[in-house]
Structure formats: structure tokens, C-alpha cells
Amino acid sequence: MSFSLKKSYRLLLLLILFMVIIGIWRPNALLDGLQRGSLYAIIALPLALVLGILGVLNLAHGDFLTVGFYLIYMLYSRFNLDPLVSIVPAVLFLILLSGGIYLLTVKNVLKDGHLNQLLITFGISLVLIETINIIWTSRPRNVYTDYAYSAIEVGGFRFGTYELLYILIAVAVLVALQWFLKNTRLGQATFAVGQNPKGARIVGINVNFVYLFVFSVSIGILGIVAGFMLPRTAIFPGVGSPFSLKSFALAAMAGLGNLNGILIAGVTLGIGEAVINSIPNYGGWSDIVFFGVLIIVIISRSYRRAR
Amino acid sequence: MKKYILPILLVILSVILPFIAGTYLLHIFTSILVFLALSLSWDMMLRTGQLSFGTAGFFGLGAYASALIVVKLGFDPILSLLVGAIFSGVIAFFLGFVVLRLREIYFAITTLALTHVFSVVIRNLPELTGGSSGTILSNAIFNGDPIKIYYMILIITLTVIGISEIFKRTRIHFAINSIRNDETTAKSSGINVFKYLLFVFVVTSAIQGLVGAAYVQQYAFVNPESTFSLNFLLLPIAMALVGGIYSTNGPIIGAFLLGLIAEYLKLQMPYGHLIVYGLIIVFVVLFMPQGIYKPIKNTVIGIGKTGGDINA
Amino acid sequence: MPRLKADKILRRFGGLIAVNNLSFTVGKDEILGIIGPNGAGKTTVINLIAGTLPVNKGSITFRDEDITKYPAHIRTQKGVARTFQIVRPLKDFTALENIMVGALFGKGNKLNEARKKSLEICELLKLKNVNKNVDELTVLELKKIELGRALASDPKLLFLDEIMAGLNSEETWELIEIVKGVQKTDISICVVEHIMKVVKELTDRVIVLDRGQIIAQGPYSEVSQQQNVIAAYLGEEE
Ligand SMILES: Nc1ncnc2c1ncn2[C@@H]1O[C@H](COP(=O)(O)OP(=O)(O)OP(=O)(O)O)[C@@H](O)[C@H]1O
Ligand SMILES: [Mg+2]
């Protein structure tokens, strides 16, 4: 784990340059990309934490987000609860759910090879999606709130204010996480486990608890994302699935353990997607940005390692 | 000779099935055979130690290659099956040079990402592929005759079973098992690791392409959504896991077991019957990592290893 | 011409130079000892020559052929075999099958030939439980598998990386006799060993490594008296 900006300064410089160019060329795409990218980054952060500390790539990651969506949707449609208010119960529910799932399943394959770990989270992903399918069917749902569509105009240039929140949240989550890891006992323990689990165990850290904590709280963070996203997102059982892979793309791009890098990578790819999306007739190709970059990053890393 | 009796009986049974089973049952068995072939191909790659999530991708490539060559160039549908296999195999060959440098989660994720890339590319070439709405073939293969289609799939699946057995009984078995167990030992024993990985990757991808081609000719329809569906990845994996990985018999047993269960559940619950696959994957990984074939075999035959039996 | 000639080979791990401009030869019919304190670079030398790791600099000539650029499996096929200091059995195979792998791919035998030859090697190694899985085997049996797999590839040059470590005295003598028998079949051997009685018993000549360089060479009886060798080993000698 590291938050050092030094590690990612080159990425950051590139990003800023990239943003300036895009900002001049297609200001709308820049804004859109910033928002998407921030979302991608907050969703990817917890995945990277679990990957960095437990060593498990959670293929069900995005589907926990979906669970959050549907829970908040249910609270909205039954009790007319505002999605932003529902963040609190959603976070709690996700922590409990993922904690339970962790104890029943993931915990038991931590010592196994990657094969079992990937397969089990793959299975969990399917169970989550299909449970939602059984309860809510595959019909798309959405939630309407006025504030989600508020907009302001600056110098004839009109843009939505709500999505700007995403950027703030991404930065807030990153800062909070950073503060937590540096300044609390549990955070320091987490840090230590990430560095060297055996050593941590020897100095008396309850490694099993740290694992449980990291897994469940990471998933809990997705509850926050779900609350903010829902007013602008139509949901269906598979809505979260692509985020698992996209999150891994960011984690791989930033380099394992580099949490700041994830925000930078997320914003970069977000803008990349938005730019392609804004090109008439070629918008559909935007989906290739993440997967293409993921493949390129993984492969170029493997070449670098070989040297 | 005794150990060949059961396989021979099963083959005979599968050949006379159209005469004893009704259309519905025949349809179910056809679909089970499709997934069985995919399951075996996935397992064959796994025997090298590489967890592939690309099964649906190469299935889809083969399906599209076959469909398009029939629609655009008027190829014979039966010949188009070969085209599907070769197309997937050739793509796998070239991708193999980079992808097969990767291991563990990186290999798994890259193959999954490739599946998405294939489907995005196809969706964005509407002139060629029909884009996201897909392409309809004017006619299903054999004019949709279910018996002929059944035999076509049966031949394919039996061929795949044969290939799997070749993989188990020749030096290939020694090579890929060694690579899975310890690559360093494999190399310093004289095994050309990359060559074998590439070989298995191309063969299994070609099988997936072939099955995809047969599937699309059966239904006379392709679109990115359903052709690259993760079901063609998920179900084969679940089947192999349940039956028992690293074997031919495991996926066979798993495919029939899960295929029948799934068919039953589909009738019982229209939404979300796939949950069973998820639960089964989780359960098997946790509680019976060997699947059901080996434990059954060991209790039937008695404990203890038969001398030098490389198929154990 | 010597069977093997390593010329100024060098290998870095990050900032550490594990093998530093090292040159040595192994003659036909020779048993060469490579000794030196922990971390001297002995295993790395084996890795470089067997192709498990690439060299950063230098060249390796084996039977008049430059093999520096060849990957590990080609070197094995050409006749360079090695055992691993920490045994690396193939766990889904039986003892016999482990050895067969060497015959199948190192030598290029057909299945039947490989099985027959591997059984002969088991006999030579006095390995009894040929059909047991490796997780049921003893340390000695695992070491024999390492040796058997290497021998099955029909090597002309064999590296043994501390195959005696962890064995009791009786077992050690058993292996020493086996290695002596092997040498008579036109196989040049390099033994890396910490146990000095083994070095004394087996080798014609030793080279002493320290920090990746040769600090002494010659017959063991001479080298073991040298001051710098003793100094390098200080606190290491058993
Ligand atoms: N793969 C590697 N990566 C990084 N450093 C390595 C690697 N292999 C060896 N080293 C380092 O190179 C040096 C030489 O190691 P080597 O294993 O060759 O020593 P050795 O002489 O075989 O020691 P021993 O008697 O303990 O087996 C050591 O400092 C070791 O830490
Ligand atoms: Mg060593």
C-alpha cells in the first residue's frame, strides 16, 4: 500500500497534459470523463484494497455494488426514502452481507491457489446476480430525484451540477482512507498486514480480523457509491458486473498498492471513454478503452518483468 | 476389456437416442452435448495450469465466422463449421504469443477482457456483423432437422472426448501435467513449455470455435449479447468442477448432471435458475475440490492406486 | 576441449552481483566440486548454466557449442541436467512418472521406452516405491527422484545441488556410491556440497566461490588448507 504522490507523479503529469488538450478540444467530454473517472476510481479503490491486502481478486466486486443499488431502490420504492439517505443502511447492510460471505467462503480459500480464489468469487458473483434476478426480475428500474438533474450555466456553457459531486466523493473517499491507514491503530495494522502478513502475525496483529475488516468495509464503501449513482443510473441485475473487470484494470494500471494512482488512472480512462463516446458514429467503441488498456498494461508489465 | 464396456454402451446409447427419445428430450441432450464439449475444452486448458475465462470469446468468434461466411459468401453450412474452428484457432495462435506469457490471475483476466474486446469489436462493425442486433441466417443447418442436428453435435462432442483422451494418454499428458505442477522443473526436464501451452491453447480455442459454429448453425442466429454470453463460460466451468477437473470423465458426468438439473429448474423458476450454478461452484470449491468423479471411482474400484495408471 | 566452458559469466539481482565474471571448465570424466559459504552464488551458477536463469554477460560453451542463448529445455535436450537444492517434484505424478518426464522430454523417448528406462534408473537408484505418489515419499526418495529425473534425460553434464543435505550418514553413503557409479557412464558431474566429507570423497577438483568469484581451486586436500578459504568459511565449517 502506498499513497505517495511521488510514485505516481509521472502519471499525474501525463494526466494533466491530457486534460488540458481534451479541455480545449472537447470541454464536454472532459467534464463527462472526470465524472465517470471519479466513479470508476471510487469503485476500484476497495477492489484494490482487497487485492493488495488479502491477495484475492474479487470477481463479485461489481455485483456487491448492484446489491447496494437494489437495496436503495427498494427503500425508495417502499418507503420513499431518498437514495442519499439510504446510503447509511446500504453501507451497513453491505458490510454485514460481505462479512458473512467472507467468513463462509473467501476465508477458506485464502491459502489456496489463485484458481480456487477466482472460481469462488466468480461463483459468488453469479449467486448475487441471480438472487437479484429472482427477487426483482431483469426489468430495468430507476429512481427519480429532482436534484440529480439540476444544472447551471456558465458563459453559455451548460452542465449538470449533480455529477460534479462524484469528483468530490472520490477525493473524499481517498483522503479518508489515507487518513485512516495512517492515523488509526486498525489502519496501521491493515497497512502492516498488507506489507507482510507473517510479520504482522508475529507482532501480535490479529490478521484474520484485519482481513475480515478490509473485505467487509471495502464492500461497504460501495454502498456510498450506490447511493450517489442510483439517481442517475438505470439498474438491472448485471449492471455492476463490468465494474469488477474495470476496477481491476485500474488497479493493474496504477500498480498494485498504489491507491492514488487509481484515481489518476480512473480519471484518465474515464476521459478516454468520454472522448470516444462523444465522436459521432464511433461512440460504441468507447467500451474498448478499459479492456484494451487492461490487456496492454498487463502484457507490457509481463515484458518488463521478463527483462 | 472390462473397462471399455461402459463407454461402448454409452456411445451406442447416444447413437440410438433419436429413436427412443422424443423431440424435447433430444433437444435437451443436444444442448448438454454442446456444453459438454465446451466444458472439456476448458478443462484441457486448465490441465496446463492456466485458468481461461476466454471460452465464451472463442465460442463467439467461431459462431460469427461460421455465420458470416454462410451469409456473405454463401458457404456450405457444414463446411462453415470448419471455418469457425480454424478462425478461432488462428486467432488463438496469434494471441497466444502474448497472452501465454501471462500466468494466474493475469492470464484469467486477460482472457476475460479479450472476450469483451471481441464482442465490442463485433458490435461496432455493423456493416459486416449486423452490429448489436446481429445477423439472421436464412436457414438453419439441415433445415432444422433435430435428429440430424443431434448427430452433428454428437460427432463433434465425441471428437472432443477423443481429443481429451489423447491428451490424457500420450506424452502430451506428461508435458501439460508437469507444466501445471512446476514450470521450472518442466523446463529443466526438457519440456518446451511455451510450445505445449500454445498447442493446447490453439486446440481448445478451435474446439470452442467449432462448437460455436455448430451452435449458430443450429439456431440460425447470432448477436453479440447472446453469442458472447457468459453462460458459455460459466456453465462449462461449473460442469467440469462438479464432475471433477483434470479428467475426461469429470466434465462428462458434470455436464449431464448439471444439464438435467438446469433443465428441470428452468421449468420451475423462469428467473434466476442460474443461481444453482453459482451455488454449485462455491460449494464444490469449498467442500469437494475433487468433484464427484474421483471419490465415486475410488469407492467403486476400492482405495489404492493401480500401478502406473496414468489416467488416474 | 573441456566438456563445459563458462567464460566470464555474470549475473545481477538488482544491485547484488551474485556471479561475478566467473570462468571455469569441467572436463570429460571429471567430478568437479563447487563449494563456498552460504550465498556465495553456487546455485546461481547452476541456474545460469542450466538456463534456468539467463546470464547478464559472458558465454557458455558446452561440447564445443555456444549454448548461452539457448532456453533451459534445449540445454537439457543437449545434455545439461540439474537437480534442485530444494526438491521440486511434480506432485500429481508418481515417483516413476516423475522420472519418466526426464526421459520423455530430455531424451526424447517414446512412452514405452521412457517407462522401461525409468524403471532401470529406479533400480540403479534403489528406489522401491515407484508407483507411490510423491506426497507419500521420504526425503531420500525425493532426492532420488530429483537425481532420477536428471539421469533419465541422458545427460553429458550433471549438476547436483546439495543432494546430500538433510540425509543421515547411511543415506549419504548410499547416494555417494550411486553418484560414483553414474560418473563411470561418461557423465561429467558438478557437485555443490556443504558436507565436506562428501566433497572429499567424490571430487577430483574443487573451485571455491565467495561472493560470486573463485577464490581458490585445486584438489580438495590442498584447497581446504588455504587461508583465504578458511577465512571465507569462518563460522560456516561444520
Ligand atoms: N532469484 C533471486 N532473486 C534475487 N536474489 C537472488 C536470487 N537467487 C539468488 N539470489 C541471491 O544471490 C546470492 C547467491 O545465491 P545462491 O543461491 O546462488 O547462493 P548459494 O551459494 O547457492 O547459497 P546456499 O549455500 O545457501 O545454497 C544470494 O545473496 C542470494 O540471496
Ligand atoms: Mg544454493
Side-chain angles (χ1 to χ4, degrees):
Chain A
M1 291 297 110
S2 110
F3 287 100
S4 82
L5 269 177
K6 268 193 210 116
K7 238 183 171 176
S8 29
Y9 76 101
R10 234 185 303 164
L11 266 175
L12 192 64
L13 278 180
L14 273 176
L15 173 63
I16 291 171
L17 188 70
F18 182 56
M19 279 171 38
V20 170
I21 295 170
I22 301 298
I24 295 166
W25 184 39
R26 279 175 199 270
N28 264 319
L30 175 66
L31 209 60
D32 182 23
L34 264 175
Q35 294 151 3
R36 283 168 188 251
S38 309
L39 270 183
Y40 287 136
I42 343 175
I43 298 172
L45 265 178
L47 177 121
L49 268 180
V50 171
L51 184 61
I53 291 172
L54 281 75
V56 173
L57 172 57
N58 181 9
L59 293 176
H61 187 74
D63 305 306
F64 280 106
L65 177 66
T66 313
V67 172
F69 280 142
Y70 273 91
L71 185 84
I72 296 171
Y73 168 77
M74 189 198 72
L75 293 175
Y76 169 81
S77 60
R78 284 264 175 90
F79 308 108
N80 213 3
L81 220 56
D82 188 289
L84 296 187
V85 177
S86 300
I87 286 178
V88 177
V91 169
L92 290 178
F93 178 78
L94 283 178
I95 288 179
L96 290 179
L97 176 73
S98 60
I101 290 181
Y102 170 81
L103 290 174
L104 286 174
T105 60
V106 178
K107 183 174 192 279
N108 299 305
V109 295
L110 283 181
K111 291 208 176 61
D112 296 8
H114 69 284
L115 176 65
N116 281 356
Q117 294 171 356
L118 284 174
L119 286 174
I120 210 157
T121 59
F122 193 49
I124 294 168
S125 147
L126 192 57
V127 172
L128 294 178
I129 295 176
E130 294 300 300
T131 307
I132 290 167
N133 217 335
I134 291 171
I135 303 178
W136 283 284
T137 76
S138 53
R139 187 162 70 79
R141 324 253 164 174
N142 42 41
V143 159
Y144 180 81
T145 59
D146 300 330
Y147 56 76
Y149 294 91
S150 56
I152 50 171
E153 223 176 288
V154 179
F157 180 60
R158 192 183 151 81
F159 55 92
T161 42
Y162 182 73
E163 300 105 303
L164 290 179
L165 264 182
Y166 296 163
I167 306 171
L168 294 181
I169 300 158
V171 174
V173 169
L174 193 66
V175 170
L177 208 58
Q178 194 163 350
W179 180 86
F180 166 78
L181 286 177
K182 280 210 184 107
N183 298 315
T184 64
R185 278 183 68 92
L186 190 53
Q188 286 160 351
T190 304
F191 198 85
V193 172
Q195 296 284 323
N196 177 354
K198 270 192 202 132
R201 193 164 274 142
I202 291 167
V203 299
I205 293 172
N206 186 343
V207 175
N208 283 331
F209 178 76
V210 169
Y211 284 161
L212 172 65
F213 171 80
V214 169
F215 192 85
S216 52
V217 170
S218 293
I219 301 297
I221 293 176
L222 294 178
I224 305 177
V225 186
F228 281 104
M229 267 179 90
L230 187 58
R232 299 293 304 246
T233 314
I235 57 170
F236 52 94
V239 67
S241 302
F243 287 104
S244 301
L245 209 54
K246 289 188 169 182
S247 298
F248 181 73
L250 297 188
M253 201 174 154
L256 275 196
N258 182 357
L259 300 184
N260 279 328
I262 288 180
L263 186 57
I264 297 172
V267 170
T268 312
L269 293 197
I271 295 175
E273 265 194 1
V275 168
I276 297 183
N277 220 353
S278 71
I279 303 173
N281 293 330
Y282 288 91
W285 287 101
S286 66
D287 286 339
I288 222 163
V289 168
F290 265 85
F291 304 123
V293 166
L294 174 61
I295 293 170
I296 292 167
V297 165
I298 287 180
I299 288 172
S300 62
R301 285 258 158 83
S302 91
Y303 275 94
R304 218 177 307 157
R305 218 174 312 128
R307 266 196 286 126
Chain B
M1 261 335 267
K2 227 167 111 189
K3 70 180 198 189
Y4 292 114
I5 292 178
L6 188 62
I8 289 173
L9 276 179
L10 286 176
V11 170
I12 292 174
L13 190 66
S14 65
V15 170
I16 62 171
L17 188 76
F19 304 103
I20 50 180
T23 320
Y24 174 61
L25 205 61
L26 200 62
H27 181 76
I28 294 175
F29 272 88
T30 308
S31 129
I32 288 178
L33 289 178
V34 164
F35 283 105
L36 165 52
L38 288 179
S39 182
L40 268 174
S41 74
W42 177 80
D43 186 72
M44 279 186 251
M45 192 66 208
L46 191 71
R47 291 176 206 168
T48 67
Q50 313 305 314
L51 169 60
S52 167
F53 282 147
T55 312
F58 290 102
F59 175 93
L61 284 187
Y64 263 95
S66 160
L68 294 182
I69 206 139
V70 169
V71 172
K72 304 272 169 185
L73 300 179
F75 253 59
D76 179 57
I78 299 179
L79 221 58
S80 82
L81 301 184
L82 278 183
V83 174
I86 293 169
F87 185 70
S88 285
V90 168
I91 298 282
F93 177 80
F94 288 111
L95 287 177
F97 280 89
V98 273
V99 175
L100 291 171
R101 303 169 51 86
L102 309 173
R103 294 292 179 270
E104 309 198 335
I105 58 174
Y106 296 99
F107 179 80
I109 291 305
T110 303
T111 49
L112 188 57
L114 280 174
T115 304
H116 288 288
V117 169
F118 295 159
S119 109
V120 173
V121 170
I122 283 176
R123 205 176 307 142
N124 285 289
L125 297 174
E127 274 95 55
L128 182 65
T129 63
S132 37
S133 43
T135 294
I136 298 172
L137 281 69
S138 58
N139 212 346
I141 196 167
F142 306 126
N143 289 317
D145 178 347
I147 296 183
K148 285 186 180 154
I149 288 175
Y150 170 79
Y151 280 124
M152 168 182 82
I153 304 276
L154 181 65
I155 291 171
I156 290 174
T157 305
L158 287 178
T159 310
V160 176
I161 291 175
I163 295 174
S164 169
E165 277 303 288
I166 292 173
F167 274 37
K168 286 300 276 185
R169 287 166 196 274
T170 60
R171 57 198 292 118
I172 299 172
H173 170 72
F174 282 85
I176 61 185
N177 234 7
S178 303
I179 295 169
R180 178 177 82 243
N181 279 180
D182 190 325
E183 233 179 284
T184 307
T185 306
K187 274 186 195 145
S188 62
S189 307
I191 296 173
N192 186 341
V193 171
F194 178 75
K195 187 186 89 178
Y196 275 98
L197 287 180
L198 188 63
F199 171 72
V200 178
F201 189 55
V202 169
V203 169
T204 55
S205 301
I207 291 172
Q208 287 148 16
L210 176 65
V211 176
Y215 191 84
V216 72
Q217 294 300 337
Q218 176 187 357
Y219 290 100
F221 173 65
V222 270
N223 83 349
E225 190 86 29
S226 62
T227 308
F228 288 96
S229 157
L230 282 190
N231 286 353
F232 296 114
L233 166 64
L234 224 72
L235 308 198
I237 292 182
M239 288 166 174
L241 284 175
V242 166
I245 50 177
Y246 310 145
S247 68
T248 306
N249 292 344
I252 294 178
I253 294 171
F256 279 97
L257 200 68
L258 288 196
L260 293 175
I261 292 177
E263 203 52 45
Y264 173 77
L265 284 170
K266 213 188 278 177
L267 300 177
Q268 300 300 311
M269 43 198 276
Y271 285 105
H273 64 275
L274 288 174
I275 194 172
V276 179
Y277 286 96
L279 290 172
I280 283 174
I281 292 178
V282 173
F283 182 85
V284 170
V285 169
L286 284 180
F287 300 112
M288 31 185 248
Q290 293 220 307
I292 57 174
Y293 165 59
K294 265 192 195 161
I296 290 178
K297 186 178 136 195
N298 286 345
T299 38
V300 172
I301 300 178
I303 322 294
K305 226 177 141 67
T306 46
D309 179 8
I310 61 166
N311 304 308
Chain C
M1 264 313 265
R3 187 154 277 177
L4 176 85
K5 184 159 175 282
D7 191 23
K8 300 207 182 94
I9 54 174
L10 183 136
R11 172 74 204 195
R12 289 188 205 93
F13 295 113
L16 174 86
I17 301 182
V19 172
N20 192 356
N21 269 318
L22 185 71
S23 302
F24 69 99
T25 59
V26 186
K28 205 166 165 302
D29 306 324
E30 188 181 28
I31 301 192
L32 173 73
I34 302 180
I35 62 174
N38 286 112
K42 306 179 293 292
T43 299
T44 306
V45 168
I46 298 183
N47 285 337
L48 295 180
I49 299 201
T52 314
L53 290 172
V55 294
N56 296 130
K57 270 191 206 146
S59 71
I60 303 163
T61 314
F62 174 66
R63 298 175 94 193
D64 300 334
E65 185 178 5
D66 184 354
I67 60 166
T68 320
K69 293 266 170 338
Y70 292 170
H73 66 271
I74 302 274
R75 300 193 199 188
T76 307
Q77 290 165 6
K78 292 204 174 278
V80 181
R82 55 99 43 102
T83 66
F84 288 97
Q85 181 171 358
I86 298 159
V87 292
R88 306 185 78 129
L90 304 166
K91 67 177 170 45
D92 291 338
F93 279 137
T94 62
L96 180 67
E97 288 164 349
N98 261 278
I99 295 175
M100 282 172 68
V101 170
L104 285 168
F105 301 99
K107 177 87 191 298
N109 279 154
K110 297 253 179 323
L111 267 181
N112 310 343
E113 296 165 354
R115 189 181 299 271
K116 201 167 129 249
K117 178 152 166 229
S118 302
L119 281 168
E120 284 167 21
I121 288 174
C122 289
E123 205 147 305
L124 175 88
L125 297 174
K126 301 197 184 69
L127 188 61
K128 298 271 160 23
N129 300 314
V130 295
N131 288 322
K132 273 200 183 168
N133 271 331
V134 290
D135 50 9
E136 303 167 69
L137 300 180
T138 64
V139 179
L140 177 65
E141 286 169 325
L142 289 175
K143 299 260 179 178
K144 284 181 175 175
I145 286 183
E146 281 290 320
L147 184 54
R149 197 191 312 113
L151 286 176
S153 69
D154 203 12
K156 289 286 167 246
L157 173 63
L158 175 61
F159 284 91
L160 304 176
D161 198 351
E162 304 200 24
I163 53 165
M164 316 291 179
L167 301 181
N168 66 31
S169 162
E170 195 184 323
E171 295 168 337
T172 305
W173 279 114
E174 189 185 330
L175 271 192
I176 288 180
E177 288 311 315
I178 290 172
V179 173
K180 279 182 174 171
V182 166
Q183 189 245 350
K184 295 205 180 72
T185 57
D186 188 35
I187 300 178
S188 310
I189 298 177
C190 280
V191 283
V192 168
E193 231 4 291
H194 274 300
I195 306 169
M196 289 310 151
K197 89 176 173 211
V198 177
V199 179
K200 201 163 17 179
E201 190 62 37
L202 274 177
T203 62
D204 306 312
R205 181 169 68 96
V206 299
I207 58 180
V208 187
L209 289 191
D210 188 25
R211 280 171 236 162
Q213 286 176 309
I214 296 181
I215 56 167
Q217 54 185 318
Y220 176 75
S221 50
E222 286 172 21
V223 164
S224 60
Q225 304 305 317
Q226 286 185 24
Q227 208 52 50
N228 56 349
V229 175
I230 296 169
Y233 259 100
L234 216 60
E236 283 264 349
E237 185 74 298
E238 50 184 302

